[in-house]
């Protein structure tokens, strides 16, 4: 706990007892809609953890409500804020790196608690974690034109193999498992004409045929919090101070959430 930071039994109590400039909702998925509604109704700009809703319909209703009330509502898609991911986007979008394929591989321990409850989570590893990497693929390559999905363990999936087809014959692949004993950093291999990039977590292991990658930033002791979160929160704070919205709004994130639903629909 942070010293001298007050705690409250409920959002309603906090709203009655303190002056709140903005809020971060980082609670189980099934509580997001009610908390966001309460905060938006009180006029509090709110940053909500992904995947925001248990499905796109729930998230869309939240986005509509924030727009009706004219209250900023953002999403914690923190992978967009790591320097290495921003470097890759610039290579592709600004320097025209001719990417042919991007393949992610992520392994986590078996899901437990509310994560393993379909009613509370809205799904399994694809919704809880895969949305980050589906969003990165969209952010880097644009909207997919076709897709295939092999998903196991539904309604709380514990393994998924996804293939997305983009314009210019580019392919994005995502392999997810939640069956191991420990968390392993995500790996990523990017193949391009006369270039190759390999990542482990946010460390660049190979960068052949491209400009020098950014230096690796130190990570937070908590593996679930790092420079991406810090940069997102810093930019969000500055945006709110200047009367602007969040760096990634829920409206902007909805296509990534819809992609998860579409992939579940293929299973």
């Amino acid at each position: 706990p942070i010293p001298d930071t007050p705690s409250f039994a409920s959002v309603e109590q906090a709203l009655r007892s303190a002056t709140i400039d903005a809020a971060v909702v980082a609670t189980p998925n099934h509580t997001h809609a009610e908390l966001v509604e309460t905060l938006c109704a009180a006029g509090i700009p709110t940053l909500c953890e992904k995947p925001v809703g248990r499905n796109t319909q729930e998230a869309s209703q939240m986005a509509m409500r924030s727009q009706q009330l004219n209250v900023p509502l953002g999403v914690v898609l923190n992978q967009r804020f790591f320097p290495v991911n921003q470097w890759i986007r610039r290579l592709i979008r600004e320097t025209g790196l001719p990417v042919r394929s991007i393949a992610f591989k992520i392994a986590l321990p078996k899901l437990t608690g509310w994560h393993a409850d379909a009613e509370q989570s809205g799904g399994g590893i694809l919704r809880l974690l895969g949305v980050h990497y589906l969003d990165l693929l969209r952010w880097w390559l644009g909207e997919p034109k076709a897709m295939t999905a092999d998903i196991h363990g539904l309604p709380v999936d514990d393994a998924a193999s996804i293939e997305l087809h983009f314009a210019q014959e580019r392919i994005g692949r995502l392999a997810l498992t939640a069956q191991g004993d420990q968390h392993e950093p995500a790996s990523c291999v990017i193949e391009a004409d006369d270039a190759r990039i390999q990542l482990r977590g946010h460390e660049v292991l190979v960068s052949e045929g491209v400009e020098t990658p950014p230096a690796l930033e130190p990570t937070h002791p908590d593996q679930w919090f790092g420079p991406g979160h810090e940069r997102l929160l810093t930019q969000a704070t500055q945006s709110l101070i200047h009367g602007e919205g969040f760096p990634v709004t829920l409206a902007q994130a909805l296509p990534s959430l819809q992609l998860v639903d579409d992939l579940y629909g293929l299973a």
Side-chain angles (χ1 to χ4, degrees):
I2 301 174
D4 303 322
T5 299
S7 60
F8 304 95
S10 67
V11 171
E12 291 79 5
Q13 185 184 76
L15 292 171
R16 291 193 302 267
S17 305
T19 299
I20 300 175
D21 298 310
V24 177
V25 173
T27 55
N29 294 353
H30 68 288
T31 66
H32 288 180
E34 182 177 353
L35 290 172
V36 167
E37 167 63 27
T38 299
L39 290 163
C40 285
I44 306 297
T46 300
L47 183 62
C48 188
E49 261 292 355
K50 55 78 196 166
V52 184
R54 290 169 291 180
N55 51 59
T56 309
Q57 181 179 3
E58 188 172 69
S60 297
Q61 291 171 348
M62 295 159 69
M64 185 181 304
R65 185 63 171 153
S66 74
Q67 292 170 352
Q68 290 172 342
L69 296 171
N70 195 29
V71 177
L73 178 56
V75 182
V76 182
L77 286 171
N78 59 294
Q79 290 293 330
R80 293 191 184 197
F81 295 85
F82 281 91
V84 67
N85 292 336
Q86 295 178 344
W87 170 69
I88 291 170
R89 175 179 163 86
R90 193 177 69 80
L91 288 177
I92 296 172
R93 292 296 186 97
E94 296 181 20
T95 68
L97 182 68
V99 169
R100 293 295 164 239
S101 68
I102 300 177
F104 284 106
K105 185 177 181 180
I106 304 101
L108 289 177
K110 185 177 180 179
L111 299 176
T112 59
W114 69 264
H115 297 94
D117 183 323
E119 178 60 28
Q120 296 185 66
S121 67
I125 191 170
L126 182 59
R127 190 175 300 284
L128 294 166
L129 182 66
V131 65
H132 270 310
Y133 300 95
L134 295 173
D135 184 71
L136 275 183
L137 288 171
R138 285 187 54 248
W139 198 50
W140 290 342
L141 299 176
E143 301 303 329
K145 307 299 182 182
M147 64 192 76
T148 59
D150 185 13
I151 303 174
H152 299 277
L154 292 172
V156 181
D157 52 292
D158 56 11
S161 179
I162 306 300
E163 185 167 286
L164 305 178
H165 294 259
F166 297 86
Q168 301 174 344
E169 298 184 351
R170 298 178 296 189
I171 296 175
R173 297 185 177 92
L174 175 60
L176 298 160
T177 58
Q179 303 166 328
D181 297 326
Q182 61 184 4
H183 175 256
E184 298 178 11
S187 67
C188 178
V189 176
I190 300 173
E191 301 283 357
D193 293 350
D194 302 318
R196 187 174 189 271
I197 301 170
Q198 183 177 348
L199 310 176
R200 183 179 185 273
H202 299 101
E203 180 181 7
V204 181
L205 301 180
V206 176
S207 56
E208 300 172 351
V210 294
E211 65 183 41
T212 303
L216 179 66
E217 291 185 315
T219 59
H220 192 279
D222 177 358
Q223 66 170 330
W224 301 115
F225 188 90
H229 282 100
E230 293 176 2
R231 184 170 289 102
L232 170 57
L233 291 172
T234 298
Q235 291 188 19
T237 300
Q238 292 300 317
S239 294
L240 293 175
I241 289 173
H242 292 94
E244 302 170 355
F246 286 103
V248 182
T249 68
L250 177 50
Q252 293 168 334
L254 281 175
S256 294
L257 306 181
Q258 181 64 60
L259 186 53
V260 173
D261 280 1
D262 292 343
L263 289 166
Y264 276 138
L266 294 177

